[in-house]
Amino acid sequence: MKILIIGSGGREHALAWKLSREGNRVFGAPGNPGIAQFGQVIRSTDYLTVASSVEPDLTVVGPEVPLVAGVVDQFRAARRWIVGPTEKNAQIEGSKIYSKELMLRLGIPTARFVRVEGEEQGITALDQFDFPVVVKADGLAAGKGVIIAPTRAEAEAAVRSLGPRLVIEELLRGEEVSFIALSDGRDAVALEATQDHKTVGDGDTGPNTGGMGAYCDGRILSRDESESIMDRIVRPVIDATKFTGFLYAGLMMTAGGPKVLEFNVRLGDPEAQPLMHRLNCDFADVLMRAATGTLRGAELKWKPEPSLCVVLAAAGYPGTPRTGDRISGIEHCGAEVFHAGTRTGAGGLETAGGRVLGITASGPDLACAIQNTYAAVEHIYFEGMHFRRDIGQKGLKRWLSTR
Ligand code: AMP
Ligand code: GLY
């Protein structure tokens, strides 16, 4: 098949890598230098025009911005097969207020919340919560629209900086798990669970980022847990909205069971990197079935080995990243290197964004996957490079303590 992948990050490189290895011709728009190694990159965000020249059999959308802008509706109107939600259903990610009210209506477990339409209302609403409290901007914010405020003063400052449209909600405690399902509007298939690492610093410290690393291991959720999440969290949304595409539930595994922190309407980044690395079946076929409404009975197969992705970030990230630093050591590092924020400069590959590369490897168990990935990281260098050294450690601890 000819498959067009919309987006330019590590998630899109990982998708393109998997689909290309299956023998498909891949096209990336706007793409990145990683995708250009084996696919054709069209540096345009006018996706319909790109599709007219490429004539793909199938298009897959990576990021949320084109989804919220209605790219799926446009492609369908042009009678092109595409994987993703409609503009209406992209609101499940595009508006936290919409998403929380949907969860409330469907009885999906989530943090208690209040919707806020203005600063004054926000300050008053804080009376209904203990501290720390969570303050969220309503709209898309690239992972930076959430502040966990330890005190009332900080919460008031958060209301002022993120407002006027907000969700204020109670703090949930536990471990986070990313649960992603693929739906054709009626039937759905669950991907293996992954765990992201959202904050910039080791031990979950510092400000939130888009994600500093993730791993995929068949033991993150039991089969029962997975089925219960499908029944209580994913299927109600699909049944109520006829959702198509990837529905990503960001879960907090609380003492009272899994609760939804947020829904996204796409694959996670960096979750997609270990997911694509571990996937062991013809994914193009499953994606085509999702696009054409024939997903019933589809199954995904996974390699037994866990896989892990460590994100190498640029100086300054998650603030404004410095760009233009020369990248070296990729060729012989011994892992898959998914490009996220790179460009080809006069002197070769250089940094061009906050999250620069996702180094991804597997191993017979999680400890080995960690070892193999960090061994590969050792080979790579750019000025100002920083990364977390504890990706996967929560999983290791959990399984050591339950053995
Ligand atoms: P969101 O964009 O809503 O997923 O929030 C980003 C991150 O903030 C999440 O991945 C969590 O780490 C954290 N977070 C969001 N909501 C809560 C909550 N109610 N309790 C604790 N942490 C939260
Ligand atoms: N890694 C979190 C996200 O993609 O939103």
Side-chain angles (χ1 to χ4, degrees), residues 96 111 134 136 146 148 169-172 176 198 208 252 261-262:
K96 302 255 190 223
V134 183
K136 300 185 175 186
V146 175
I148 297 175
E169 67 181 32
E170 67 174 330
L171 183 80
L172 298 177
E176 285 185 60
K198 302 257 166 156
N208 266 341
M252 188 70 94
L261 292 169
E262 65 163 345

Side-chain angles (χ1 to χ4, degrees), residues 192-213:
E192 287 264 28
T194 47
Q195 188 165 48
D196 188 14
H197 297 66
K198 302 257 166 156
T199 67
V200 73
D202 286 359
D204 295 334
T205 56
N208 266 341
T209 70
M212 292 297 289

Side-chain angles (χ1 to χ4, degrees), residues 8 10 37 85 93 128 152 209-210 222 236 249 363-364 368 370 372 377-378:
S8 62
Q37 292 167 351
E93 172 167 359
Q128 302 174 46
R152 170 131 203 153
T209 70
S222 69
C368 295
I370 293 171
N372 293 341
V377 167
E378 290 290 311

Side-chain angles (χ1 to χ4, degrees), residues 304-357:
E305 298 85 14
S307 52
L308 183 109
C309 170
V310 173
V311 170
L312 307 184
Y317 184 76
T320 308
R322 196 175 73 203
T323 60
D325 289 306
R326 182 71 201 278
I327 302 167
S328 64
I330 291 183
E331 292 71 24
H332 306 293
C333 77
E336 289 307 328
V337 176
F338 295 122
H339 292 227
T342 68
R343 67 182 176 220
T344 312
L349 197 68
E350 58 185 43
T351 61
R355 294 189 290 175
V356 178
L357 298 169

